[in-house]
Amino acid sequence: MLLLDVIWCWLLVRIARRVWGRTVLSVFMAAQILSFIWLIGGRLLHLGWDRALPKFAVTAMFIWHFLGLGLLSLLGIALIPVLLVWNIVSKARRSRVHIPKPASDPAGHYSRRDFIGLTVAMAPPLFTLSLTGIALSQLNYFRVRRLVLPITNLPIALDHLTITQVSDMHVGRFTSGSVLQKMVSTVNNLRSDLVVLTGDLINDSLSDLSEGLDLVRAMDPRFGLYLIEGNHDLIDNGEEFERRVKASGIAFLLDETATVVVRGAPVQLLGLSWTRTRGEKRDQAISQSVRELLRLRATDAFPILLAHHPHAFDAAAEAGLPLTLSGHTHGGQLMLNEQTGFGPAMFRYWSGLYQRVDSKLIVSNGVGNWFPLRINAPAEIVHITLRRA
């Protein structure tokens, strides 16, 4: 990324031509490069430097490096053959008719070439700063998505059972301050029978874990609260995360189950640990973990699988499990519409309700953020009401 930063800085400054344009671009690119080095250095050395960056600066840096830089590079690669042909044709025309190469007007007037160059060069910082403003306004917003699910053979006592699903809080870099208290207040105002947290309590740093655990303790369901882990929880030190959460007294399920009695009927929560396997064998490993966890299934209780990765639904549906709750996808994060974007490009299930025979899956968009910008994938807390089918 740093190499691409340097390359594009050199190219954009050359294209800008005007002194003020070059100055603006140089300042913008220098800020991006320094912020990137500061963030990575702070994380790698565990010195906490990354925590000192203003939210505006780190938001702009994320948008530029994870979105703007990639789009610009793809556009640049696509335009290379077009620019080569255009340059060859232009030179051939000049040599035939002896048209002098246009120059900038020293009096301050812009030639068409100046104007086009400056417009092209200023597009990246304008793009980045505009999206940064949008992202900052989104970081304090989330919705409550309400779903009513008809469940075959749901025990009579569990008719109208309510569950609040809180997924992907990502306490830390982008999810901080008053919005966290707003999340807790929203959960408590829903007065659900159960509250389940389906992974990614923290963004990446264990320094945020104490605050995250305090927020979980402040949630007040009628009958029980249960937590599982996600991939971001394990970035800093997975073993230490698991040890501290276990010691907190919060019901933390690591390939374990817990049974809570709701209005006289037992409900069994099956909590799946994050599968460390990567690459092509990940889905196979997830399915194997689900099958092993389901060996603990109680025959006399209504089962609910909590799995951070939604692909756990394949094995759950195969086993006839009535309900699976997942997160991880952030609703696709950047979506052109409900069916087009990063969601379907990366996951089989990415947002909302999915069904296979009598088995249902809810994938939450998540209420927090690891990346500051969302498009057509709003942050959310999910409120579920179960009904007898």
Side-chain angles (χ1 to χ4, degrees), residues 49-357:
W49 297 345
D50 54 309
R51 316 287 295 181
L53 280 174
K55 191 173 287 189
F56 176 85
V58 72
T59 298
M61 188 273 292
F62 263 70
I63 289 174
W64 167 249
H65 284 95
F66 289 95
L67 188 58
L69 189 60
L71 291 174
L72 187 62
S73 298
L74 289 174
L75 181 62
I77 292 171
L79 287 177
I80 285 175
V82 177
L83 293 175
L84 286 175
V85 171
W86 180 59
N87 192 43
I88 292 171
V89 171
S90 297
K91 287 184 176 179
R93 291 181 61 192
R94 291 181 196 283
S95 64
R96 285 199 304 267
V97 299
H98 304 290
I99 301 174
K101 183 179 178 181
S104 298
D105 187 337
H109 299 293
Y110 287 85
S111 67
R112 184 176 66 175
R113 185 174 181 181
D114 286 335
F115 179 77
I116 293 174
L118 192 58
T119 301
V120 170
M122 295 304 294
L126 289 174
F127 170 85
T128 301
L129 296 177
S130 297
L131 290 186
T132 297
I134 294 171
L136 289 172
S137 67
Q138 290 180 340
L139 290 177
N140 291 321
Y141 169 80
F142 61 88
R143 70 182 182 183
V144 176
R145 183 193 284 198
R146 298 177 184 268
L147 299 170
V148 178
L149 302 185
I151 301 292
T152 303
N153 297 322
L154 182 72
I156 294 175
L158 298 181
D159 192 25
H160 287 95
L161 173 73
T162 54
I163 304 168
T164 293
Q165 181 190 5
V166 184
S167 195
D168 300 85
M169 285 184 71
H170 287 278
V171 177
R173 182 174 296 117
F174 294 118
T175 313
S176 60
S178 61
V179 70
L180 292 170
Q181 296 302 323
K182 184 180 176 183
M183 291 175 189
V184 173
S185 297
T186 300
V187 169
N188 290 340
N189 289 337
L190 289 170
R191 298 297 295 144
S192 295
D193 296 320
L194 301 174
V195 171
V196 296
L197 292 95
T198 48
D200 284 357
L201 173 62
I202 60 174
N203 188 56
D204 54 25
S205 175
L206 283 176
S207 62
D208 296 308
L209 181 55
S210 293
E211 181 180 13
L213 293 175
D214 287 342
L215 294 165
V216 176
R217 290 190 191 97
M219 296 177 185
D220 186 26
R222 294 178 185 273
F223 294 100
L225 180 149
Y226 300 89
L227 171 71
I228 63 170
E229 67 185 13
N231 55 311
H232 276 253
D233 296 322
L234 311 179
I235 289 175
D236 202 346
N237 186 324
E239 291 74 19
E240 180 65 11
F241 173 86
E242 293 173 351
R243 185 193 68 77
R244 288 176 59 180
V245 178
K246 280 288 187 181
S248 71
I250 296 168
F252 181 42
L253 305 179
L254 289 173
D255 292 325
E256 299 167 312
T257 75
T259 300
V260 58
V261 177
V262 179
R263 294 188 287 274
V267 177
Q268 185 182 32
L269 287 304
L270 301 101
L272 191 69
S273 298
W274 178 254
T275 301
R276 269 69 163 186
T277 303
R278 299 183 179 182
E280 296 179 356
K281 295 184 178 181
R282 168 171 283 177
D283 284 0
Q284 180 181 347
I286 292 173
S287 293
Q288 181 59 34
S289 296
V290 172
R291 285 190 286 269
E292 292 176 3
L293 178 60
L294 291 181
R295 293 174 184 172
L296 304 176
R297 180 176 175 179
T299 57
D300 61 341
F302 178 75
I304 300 174
L305 175 63
L306 309 179
H308 186 60
H309 201 300
H311 289 182
F313 180 58
D314 291 333
E318 182 180 321
L321 209 67
L323 182 59
T324 301
L325 303 179
S326 295
H328 185 56
T329 67
H330 289 240
Q333 192 77 46
L334 304 173
M335 298 286 292
L336 294 177
N337 55 47
E338 291 185 356
Q339 300 299 323
T340 308
F342 283 105
M346 300 176 65
F347 304 100
R348 286 191 292 281
Y349 321 105
W350 61 91
S351 180
L353 173 64
Y354 299 87
Q355 182 166 347
R356 189 180 301 173
V357 192

